[in-house]
Amino acid sequence: MTNHPVTSVTVARAARLLGLPLIAVLLAGCGALGGGGDTTAASAPVRATSEASAPPAADAQPSQEPPTQDPSAAPGGSGQSSGGSGGSGQARTVAPGGTLADGDTVSAELTRAGQKDTFTLDLGGAREFYVADMRCDGGIKIQVIAEIDGRPEGLDNLSLCGGNWVFKLSKAGGHRLEITGDTNVIGPYSFRLATVKVRSFPVKLGLKIGEGSPAGAGRLAAGGEVHRFEFDADGASAIKVLGGAGSCLAIEMELVDAAETSVATARQPIPLCGYELPIALSNGDGRYALVIRSAAAKTGPYSFQLVRSD
């Protein structure tokens, strides 16, 4: 898909792995995310950079993960409703014309040429969200419209037929999702919505991180969670992430400067499992953050140890 620059929204910047072809792993979603999976080793160190100092990437690109169903995001009821969960914490399957909230799913169909399905967004104050587990047979598009001016936030008419998107809202007021088909295209479609939820944990080099240690870490408990482990370099010129385990192909890591606060979109992701080579702290002796996320807004446990490597 050809990308075009936008000024108001960042929609899932592509995973860039610093020209390391052997690390270019397709981070497939894992469905029910349990412990341990196939590991993928890389063969060269990665340097931490900040999005603020790196060359700008394309403003929209789907992740390369094939869509999979996440049981943790299954609707709470068996029937469709005309509205979303409304912040109640109970995900529901929402029909066209309803309101989508965090965790809600959609399974609907375009049955006539020119049909437009509309969903009101109720993000509970969040400004970034994933549209994940996207499925359709081809030719069906999604866009986010700002109610304040009736214009798209960022790129319009993005494909809904596979992968995942991250949307970042920049306009005030309400927003809606619109689903349309190409000329004369009809057919079923489905997707899941998950707001971005960042949790930060101050840690020190040498700490073993696992479920509940530190409190709240070690598991992406809800779709869209991003865990950020901030630490001082303490004179180290490089680090290693040892024993990465958990939902190996669905959960990824990325090292960024601690000043980087926009962490929902991956720029230099590495699979959490199977990568134990040195990662250079290229900005010198300062503060960094190791970001743990799922590009497909999946859930699951993880563990690792952050150590010096110099």
Side-chain angles (χ1 to χ4, degrees), residues 9 12 84 131 263 304:
V9 63
V131 174
V263 296
F304 62 89

Side-chain angles (χ1 to χ4, degrees), residues 70-143:
D70 183 359
S72 69
S78 59
Q80 288 194 334
S81 69
S82 60
S85 60
S88 68
Q90 181 180 6
R92 294 187 279 181
T93 300
V94 180
T99 298
L100 277 173
D102 183 32
D104 286 345
T105 62
V106 170
S107 181
E109 185 173 3
L110 299 178
T111 59
R112 65 183 187 279
Q115 179 177 334
K116 179 189 293 184
D117 287 353
T118 301
F119 301 85
T120 299
L121 292 177
D122 178 7
L123 304 181
R127 304 299 294 176
E128 292 180 273
F129 63 96
Y130 293 87
V131 174
D133 300 338
M134 300 186 300
R135 292 180 178 86
C136 67
D137 293 333
I140 297 180
K141 310 295 184 182
I142 184 172
Q143 62 183 357

Side-chain angles (χ1 to χ4, degrees), residues 18-76:
L18 296 179
L20 302 178
L22 293 183
I23 314 176
V25 177
L26 298 181
L27 299 173
C30 291
L33 302 182
D38 293 336
T39 58
T40 304
S43 59
V46 174
R47 294 182 178 273
T49 62
S50 167
E51 183 183 23
S53 61
D59 285 289
Q61 183 132 351
S63 77
Q64 298 301 308
E65 301 167 286
T68 60
Q69 181 62 39
D70 183 359
S72 69

